[in-house]
């Protein structure tokens, strides 16, 4: 999205009927200007702002409206208060403009037809000035409730970041009280889950390229880590989980990768704890003839880059015990079942939902006798955060019925866990319009490191 040229804000007062629809936000020439509206003596005063072309805004109004019509919705109501709804903040870039605070409740409605409109607090009148549409103001509580009724006039079914029964907690960002207010204003509230995916979790070609590059770097770090563990075990050099983790953190810096945490290096019984992380104060030695699990995630250090996230398992001996090999073979086959389902559906042009992928993978584990050793879902969305806002492969921790949309990236990472060890294999996939690709090598068996 780019905008060439700049104009100064202007004020244009006239009858409300003169308001024009403002659509596509992706301009290659000066854009329609965002508008703030108020009623004065029967007229609508519109304070236009050139900030409507802010590159941080992830919304295309015409695309949103097309999606709303396709889904039979009257509108998408984006709402936030002090960051409780990061999805709304992400797609609108509210609070990222500078020059004003955003500490009060704001509402931005994109209707299926017509011009967007907003509601902001009077002391923060510029909160939505960078977005297209008319903006009403409130100050007191009564004015807020009256403003919501005006905002939602004619809207019967509206999407918000809501999930019935909190089935998808990653989407359930709007508090129950606000949902009640919207319902009292006369609108039925439904989940915006698939809308969020379309306009927050779908990657473009540049983002896909950053993922693939990050993935290649992660695999190099993984290989170096296993090589170093093998060298130390063969040479009788004492080493610990923390030693290897810190080496990997340094290799992340060498590769210009950034992340929210140092990698997971788990040996023996610690590999049975899926979210274990060694620290300087709490870690164990890595010894011969043990499982070592590496889980590492990172992205390029540039704006708009998205994460890659992988897990591999090695054994610090020559002959992997049958119990370990059998467990890994089950998670490998579970992973492959998930991959096959996604790829077949994409090639057939058929919808597939997150819970279906989880069911396909977990069925393999249950059939192999590992049902009681499953501790987590099969996979998660990837984005600018390692756990993105798109669909998760989940019918275990939640019931994620969102669709796998073209352009979305996610992990498939089944695992089984015991008191003395655990195994997991994690790969990344990207769905396209008629196919789905795994973006790195597939581990086929536990690596024998010595």
């Amino acid at each position: 999205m780019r905008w060439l040229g700049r104009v100064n804000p202007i004020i244009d007062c006239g009858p409300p009927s003169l308001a024009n629809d403002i659509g596509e936000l992706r301009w290659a020439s000066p854009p329609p200007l965002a508008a703030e509206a108020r009623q004065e003596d029967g007229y609508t005063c519109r304070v236009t702002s050139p900030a409507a072309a802010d590159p941080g805004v992830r919304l295309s109004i015409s695309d949103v409206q097309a999606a709303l019509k396709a889904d039979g919705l009257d509108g998408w109501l984006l709402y936030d208060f002090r960051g409780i709804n990061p999805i709304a903040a992400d797609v609108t870039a509210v609070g990222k403009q500078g020059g004003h605070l955003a500490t009060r409740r704001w509402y931005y409605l994109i209707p299926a037809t017509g011009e967007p409109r907003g509601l902001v607090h009077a002391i923060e009148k510029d909160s939505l000035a960078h977005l297209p549409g008319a903006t009403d103001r409130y100050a007191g509580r009564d004015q807020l409730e009256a403003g919501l009724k005006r905002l939602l006039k004619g809207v019967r079914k509206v999407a918000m970041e809501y999930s019935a029964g909190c089935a998808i907690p990653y989407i359930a960002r709007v508090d129950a009280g606000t949902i009640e207010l919207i319902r009292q204003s006369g609108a039925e509230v439904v989940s915006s889950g698939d809308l969020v995916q379309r306009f927050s979790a779908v990657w473009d070609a540049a983002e896909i390229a950053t993922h693939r590059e990050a993935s290649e770097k992660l695999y190099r770090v993984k290989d170096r880590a296993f090589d170093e563990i093998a060298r130390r075990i063969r040479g009788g050099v004492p080493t610990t989980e923390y030693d290897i983790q810190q080496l990997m953190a340094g290799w992340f810096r060498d590769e210009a990768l950034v992340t929210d945490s140092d990698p997971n290096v788990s040996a023996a019984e610690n590999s049975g704890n899926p979210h274990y992380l060694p620290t300087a104060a709490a870690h164990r030695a890595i010894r011969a003839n043990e499982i070592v699990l590496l889980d590492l995630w990172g992205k390029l250090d540039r704006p708009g880059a998205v994460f890659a996230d992988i897990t591999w398992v090695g054994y610090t001996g020559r002959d992997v015990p049958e119990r370990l090999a059998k467990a890994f073979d089950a998670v490998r086959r579970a992973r492959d079942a998930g991959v096959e389902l996604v790829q077949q559906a994409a090639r057939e042009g058929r919808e597939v939902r997150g819970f279906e992928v989880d069911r396909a993978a977990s069925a393999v584990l249950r059939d192999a006798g590992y049902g009681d050793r499953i501790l987590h879902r099969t996979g998660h969305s990837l984005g600018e955060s390692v756990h993105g806002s798109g669909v998760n492969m989940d019918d275990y921790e939640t019931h994620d019925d969102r669709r796998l949309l073209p352009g979305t990236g996610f992990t498939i990472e089944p695992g089984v866990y015991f008191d003395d060890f655990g195994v997991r294999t994690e790969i990344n996939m990207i769905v396209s319009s008629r196919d789905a690709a795994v973006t790195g090598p597939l581990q086929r068996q536990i690596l024998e490191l010595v």
Side-chain angles (χ1 to χ4, degrees):
M1 180 173 64
R2 69 193 171 97
W3 168 49
L4 307 176
R6 187 172 186 83
V7 298
N8 294 322
I10 60 171
I11 298 178
D12 178 25
C13 292
S17 60
L18 296 181
N20 294 320
D21 287 350
I22 299 175
E24 179 66 52
L25 280 179
R26 296 170 182 163
W27 301 289
S29 56
L33 297 175
E36 172 196 339
R38 65 182 184 271
Q39 294 293 324
E40 274 186 9
D41 299 328
Y43 288 90
T44 300
C45 293
R46 312 177 69 79
V47 181
T48 61
S49 167
D54 189 290
V57 179
R58 304 187 62 144
L59 287 176
S60 161
I61 300 301
S62 61
D63 288 350
V64 172
Q65 291 181 324
L68 291 169
K69 292 171 186 174
D71 291 348
L73 300 174
D74 296 314
W76 184 8
L77 181 59
L78 292 154
Y79 157 80
D80 190 31
F81 173 64
R82 292 178 174 252
I84 66 171
N85 185 358
I87 294 170
D90 178 47
V91 298
T92 62
V94 170
K96 299 178 182 178
Q97 307 308 310
H100 61 82
L101 298 173
T103 67
R104 300 300 199 271
R105 289 175 281 185
W106 59 263
Y107 306 79
Y108 186 67
L109 177 70
I110 304 174
T113 59
E115 181 179 321
R117 50 192 187 265
L119 179 64
V120 299
H121 197 283
I123 67 172
E124 295 173 353
K125 61 185 179 64
D126 294 325
S127 296
L128 304 179
H130 62 292
L131 297 169
T135 305
D136 198 0
R137 301 177 191 168
Y138 73 93
R141 185 173 64 252
D142 292 344
Q143 292 174 333
L144 170 63
E145 294 179 4
L148 283 173
K149 289 181 179 178
R150 290 194 299 272
L151 184 73
L152 294 166
K153 184 177 180 180
V155 174
R156 298 179 303 277
K157 183 182 290 187
V158 66
M160 296 186 74
E161 285 65 71
Y162 157 81
S163 177
C166 203
I168 310 174
Y170 313 97
I171 289 295
R173 302 291 189 169
V174 178
D175 61 279
T178 295
I179 297 295
E180 290 171 357
L181 271 178
I182 302 306
R183 288 171 174 163
Q184 290 169 13
S185 300
E188 176 190 355
V189 178
V190 299
S191 177
S192 64
D194 276 339
L195 286 169
V196 169
Q197 286 206 100
R198 287 188 180 101
F199 303 104
S200 182
V202 172
W203 299 344
D204 59 23
E207 289 167 321
I208 290 172
T210 71
H211 165 82
R212 289 185 177 276
E213 186 176 347
S215 178
E216 292 172 0
K217 292 172 180 285
L218 288 181
Y219 279 98
R220 286 199 292 269
V221 171
K222 179 266 297 181
D223 289 342
R224 292 180 71 177
F226 278 138
D227 287 346
E228 183 62 21
I229 293 169
R231 185 188 69 80
R232 294 187 182 197
I233 293 295
R234 284 194 300 265
V237 179
T239 193
T240 70
E241 299 164 327
Y242 185 70
D243 293 337
I244 302 301
Q245 180 202 60
Q246 292 307 297
L247 284 173
M248 294 172 73
W251 297 331
F252 267 54
R253 292 188 289 272
D254 294 343
E255 295 279 6
L257 288 172
V258 295
T259 186
D260 60 0
S261 171
D262 288 339
N264 174 357
V265 180
S266 307
E269 71 278 0
N270 288 336
S271 64
N273 180 358
H275 277 187
Y276 167 81
L277 283 174
T279 66
H283 59 264
R284 78 183 297 282
I286 299 175
R287 305 181 183 93
N289 301 311
E290 293 182 334
I291 279 280
V292 178
L293 181 149
L294 303 181
D295 186 353
L296 52 160
W297 54 97
K299 66 177 181 176
L300 304 184
D301 188 9
R302 68 179 68 158
V306 295
F307 270 83
D309 184 4
I310 64 173
T311 301
W312 278 56
V313 181
Y315 183 72
T316 57
R318 294 185 179 179
D319 298 311
V320 177
E322 181 181 357
R323 178 167 172 252
L324 278 59
K326 182 180 177 182
F328 185 83
D329 183 66
V331 300
R332 177 196 62 78
R333 289 186 289 110
R335 176 201 67 201
D336 292 350
V339 170
E340 182 180 359
L341 173 63
V342 174
Q343 290 181 330
Q344 184 175 351
R347 291 164 185 167
E348 294 174 355
R350 174 169 51 86
E351 280 188 0
V352 64
R353 299 176 183 266
F355 75 89
E356 295 177 280
V357 182
D358 186 59
R359 285 182 181 178
S362 61
V364 174
L365 297 179
R366 292 189 174 93
D367 289 346
Y370 294 110
D372 60 344
R373 297 300 175 177
I374 300 171
L375 297 182
H376 57 73
R377 65 194 173 202
T378 292
H380 62 81
S381 168
L382 293 167
E384 291 187 39
S385 298
V386 67
H387 292 90
S389 58
V391 58
N392 296 315
M393 311 306 109
D394 195 358
D395 195 39
Y396 181 74
E397 299 177 51
T398 71
H399 178 73
D400 200 324
D401 63 355
R402 290 175 291 176
R403 293 167 284 183
L404 275 64
L405 300 178
T408 53
F410 52 89
T411 71
I412 291 185
E413 50 178 306
V416 293
Y417 306 95
F418 301 82
D419 291 339
D420 56 337
F421 82 99
V423 289
R424 180 170 68 254
T425 172
E426 179 179 17
I427 54 90
N428 302 160
M429 295 193 74
I430 301 173
V431 178
S432 60
S433 59
R434 298 296 294 184
D435 205 353
V438 176
T439 60
L442 293 163
Q443 184 171 9
R444 299 297 182 186
Q445 59 189 16
I446 296 175
L447 301 178
E448 296 178 352
L449 300 179
V450 297

